[in-house]
Amino acid sequence: MTPQTTTRIASVVRLNQEGPGKQSLPEWWASEQKQKTPEAAAIMEAAQLLQTSDIPVAFPTETVYGLGADATRSDAVSGIYKAKQRPSDNPLIVHVDSLDMLDRLLNPEATSPHAHEAKTARNTIPLIYEALIAKFWPGPLTILLPNPSGSCLAPQVTSNLTTFGVRMPSSPLARLLIHVADRPLAAPSANASTKPSPTAAEHVFHDLQGRIELILDGGPCGVGVESTVVDGLSDPPSILRPGGVPIEAIRACSGWENVQLGYHDGTFDVKEIPRAPGMKYRHYSPKARVVLFEAGSDVQGIINHIKHDLEDTAVGAHSMGLVRTRTWKRGLQLLPEAEIEKTAKPVTSLINNFVEFTVPVRNSSKEVFDCPLGTDIDDIARGLFAALRAMDEREVDVIYVEGVSDDELLAAAVMNRLRKAAGSTFKV
Ligand code: TXA
Ligand code: MG
């Protein structure tokens, strides 16, 4: 598709950082509006586009950037699929600013002119979600709810399923935008379909430039992986996508002790087809081939594997990336550390200490891009997609990634995304 529109980036970083403090969202918004700040103007414009245009607006959330549209307007929601070139059998998450907004979604007849005739009891959020909502909302948790009869959600949001996924983001900016637009927003991650999710406004611009009009820039996302998707409508309840709320934290909630893992990423076998339709597609993939080494792999075995690849003309790699987490040393001993120290050049990116150097291989040389994500799992999650994107920008042929052990906090989400991005996964 040829670019058709000029895409602008408007900064709302200050608002996203400051948040409402002790004020309610309406009070916060009123004071911003009164001061006529540039950020207020940007929010106003975004809200207006959401209400009137069929072209979606990109906005920050605490997990990743979202590509938002009014969830109640079919044409607007179709605009998301168009901009992303996303298959339309993959349902979208609805974002709300409050439980009140969710209550209105669940009870469409209560707001109709015939409300007084409605004899049926109000639809409420199933009890099973009570503990999760109390603990994790607003935040990176998506729950499935039955789509009520007479639902005002556009059918494209649910891809004709009988349920819809909904979350209340903790990003103050995201909630403010929903409040000002006064609409529930359907929003997938704001990347081109199959690419790594965007964790900065530049990532959205890179993928969707020319296809959308406005990107609200709230700075880099704090969590870095998408929300955890849970299904409490099935018995036992299940996790359909690991994400920003750790599985153990969900298991610790009343009613969720027995939660099943309903996704498949090679860690275990599930016989059924994936229940979250998005999970069956190739995802999060940079252009480069991704080779993932599972945690606990033998470092010497990894080095041998990589050296073998580098010398193999059939593999044909001219440049390679190393994405390191817990144990790999800089450059993985492909060059003595003193040599790296002398020759490494810094690479500008969102990740600190990202460097580039050259290693001699037989009669030629290879470029190595070395990207340390840190050892803390929160830092690893936050930097993961940015690292994959930074490698693509340098046009590396192959990216070797050091996996983390699945069984702690955000690691399940990190490894899930990596396994989906990887062409090959090894334990050596
Ligand atoms: O953190 C996030 O969740 C981000 C930000 C923007 O909020 N959004 C996001 O949306 O990741 P998306 O569209 O990229 O992923 C939505 C996931 C998919 O795996 C989809 O299949 C699943 O949620 N999903 C949505 N509605 C569903 C439903 N009714 N039943 C089962 N799965 C559903
Ligand atoms: Mg996505």
Side-chain angles (χ1 to χ4, degrees), residues 110-426:
T111 48
S112 86
H114 309 292
H116 60 282
E117 291 167 19
K119 296 207 174 51
T120 44
R122 282 186 84 75
N123 293 317
T124 51
I125 302 171
L127 270 181
I128 174 105
Y129 291 122
E130 198 168 280
L132 294 193
I133 288 177
K135 194 135 196 214
F136 303 117
W137 272 13
L141 176 78
T142 297
I143 63 173
L144 293 197
L145 293 173
N147 200 18
S149 69
S151 173
C152 41
L153 291 176
Q156 294 88 339
V157 172
T158 56
S159 315
N160 294 318
L161 296 173
T162 55
T163 56
F164 69 102
V166 61
R167 83 180 189 96
M168 191 193 296
S170 64
S171 152
L173 200 282
R175 289 206 311 283
L176 182 63
L177 179 65
I178 300 165
H179 167 72
V180 177
D182 195 22
R183 303 283 194 279
L185 297 184
S189 47
N191 49 291
S193 200
T194 79
K195 292 290 154 205
S197 298
T199 52
E202 305 88 273
H203 300 163
V204 181
F205 187 79
H206 178 269
D207 282 16
L208 300 181
Q209 177 184 0
R211 297 186 189 182
I212 59 175
E213 281 176 39
L214 186 62
I215 300 169
L216 292 180
D217 179 0
C221 298
V223 177
V225 289
E226 299 86 343
S227 61
T228 305
V229 180
V230 298
D231 177 4
L233 304 175
S234 58
D235 186 19
S238 60
I239 292 177
L240 301 185
R241 176 176 74 180
V245 172
I247 295 169
E248 301 88 284
I250 289 173
R251 214 183 281 288
C253 289
S254 161
W256 293 80
E257 298 82 357
N258 202 12
V259 65
Q260 307 291 302
L261 304 188
Y263 59 91
H264 183 44
D265 61 11
T267 34
F268 54 88
D269 277 317
V270 276
K271 299 270 173 336
E272 297 168 68
I273 51 161
R275 272 178 292 168
M279 301 302 282
K280 71 176 187 245
Y281 298 102
R282 189 170 143 82
H283 251 113
Y284 316 114
S285 320
K287 279 187 283 201
R289 190 162 66 88
V290 176
V291 178
L292 171 63
F293 290 96
E294 294 275 345
S297 289
D298 166 60
V299 174
Q300 197 51 51
I302 294 167
I303 295 171
N304 293 344
H305 181 111
I306 295 179
K307 279 191 170 155
H308 181 267
D309 268 6
L310 288 182
E311 289 174 5
D312 186 348
T313 45
V315 173
H318 297 291
S319 58
M320 53 167 273
L322 293 176
V323 176
R324 300 186 286 115
T325 59
R326 296 275 164 73
T327 63
W328 292 7
K329 300 271 179 304
R330 184 159 77 158
L332 261 185
Q333 299 165 37
L334 297 169
L335 198 67
E337 176 56 31
E339 273 300 299
I340 298 178
E341 193 57 49
K342 242 192 306 177
T343 58
K345 289 179 289 199
V347 174
T348 320
S349 92
L350 290 172
I351 294 151
N352 292 330
N353 304 317
F354 191 171
V355 297
E356 171 190 0
F357 54 90
T358 308
V359 291
V361 176
R362 295 235 172 113
N363 300 328
S364 68
S365 61
K366 310 273 178 186
E367 278 310 291
V368 176
F369 292 86
D370 182 289
C371 179
L373 294 181
T375 54
D376 185 85
I377 193 66
D378 291 341
D379 292 335
I380 294 169
R382 201 175 295 124
L384 176 69
F385 289 137
L388 296 179
R389 282 178 173 269
M391 292 295 178
D392 255 5
E393 240 172 75
R394 269 85 206 170
E395 307 197 312
V396 307
D397 300 303
V398 51
I399 308 170
Y400 298 98
V401 187
E402 178 187 9
V404 288
S405 164
D406 270 278
D407 48 8
E408 43 139 357
L409 301 179
L410 292 186
V414 167
M415 288 305 287
N416 174 265
R417 306 308 188 265
L418 281 171
R419 291 189 184 108
K420 292 194 170 290
S424 15
T425 302
F426 296 102

Side-chain angles (χ1 to χ4, degrees), residues 35-87:
Q35 295 170 62
K36 295 199 163 66
T37 61
E39 290 86 355
I43 298 268
M44 198 68 141
E45 185 192 356
Q48 233 152 40
L49 287 172
L50 288 165
Q51 288 168 352
T52 57
S53 166
D54 295 338
I55 300 174
V57 174
F59 66 99
T61 83
E62 72 279 19
T63 57
V64 301
Y65 274 70
L67 187 61
D70 177 349
T72 67
R73 283 198 299 124
S74 282
D75 289 346
V77 178
S78 295
I80 295 177
Y81 289 100
K82 230 180 273 166
K84 274 195 72 142
Q85 303 192 312
R86 170 183 172 115

